[in-house]
Amino acid sequence: EMEIKKMAKTGNREACKILAKQLVQLRKQKNRTYAVSSKVTSMSTQTKVMNSQMKMAGAMSTTAK
């Protein structure tokens, strides 16, 4: 952002456009990374829950015998 402001002060519009596009792409990529990270965390949590349920079911079946 500072580079964009610096280029704007010097009057270099083309450089401003390029840097602004890169900034927008970087922000989109950051948002996608956060989304993927949250999905992976969610899947990990679901796997742990399923594993604990399987252990509980095994313990219950052993107790029932």
Side-chain angles (χ1 to χ4, degrees), residues 2 5 7 12 14 26 30 36 40 42 47 51-52 56:
M2 290 173 28
K5 289 177 184 178
M7 292 295 169
N12 194 347
E14 286 299 315
L26 194 76
K30 190 170 147 183
V36 168
V40 168
S42 173
T47 303
N51 189 22
S52 66
M56 182 61 79

Side-chain angles (χ1 to χ4, degrees), residues 6 8 17-18 20 22 28 32 34-35 42 44 52 60:
K6 197 184 297 181
K17 280 184 184 180
I18 292 169
Q22 287 177 349
K28 284 181 183 178
R32 285 193 300 263
Y34 286 147
S42 173
S44 173
S52 66
M60 295 295 276

Side-chain angles (χ1 to χ4, degrees), residues 5-64:
K5 289 177 184 178
K6 197 184 297 181
M7 292 295 169
K9 283 182 182 178
T10 61
N12 194 347
R13 290 184 56 88
E14 286 299 315
C16 286
K17 280 184 184 180
I18 292 169
L19 290 173
K21 286 180 183 179
Q22 287 177 349
L23 181 64
V24 169
Q25 288 174 349
L26 194 76
R27 287 179 179 167
K28 284 181 183 178
Q29 187 178 22
K30 190 170 147 183
N31 287 337
R32 285 193 300 263
T33 302
Y34 286 147
V36 168
S37 176
S38 67
K39 286 178 185 176
V40 168
T41 303
S42 173
M43 289 174 63
S44 173
T45 304
Q46 287 177 353
T47 303
K48 288 178 184 176
V49 168
M50 288 173 60
N51 189 22
S52 66
Q53 287 175 346
M54 285 175 47
K55 286 183 180 180
M56 182 61 79
M60 295 295 276
S61 68
T62 303
T63 305

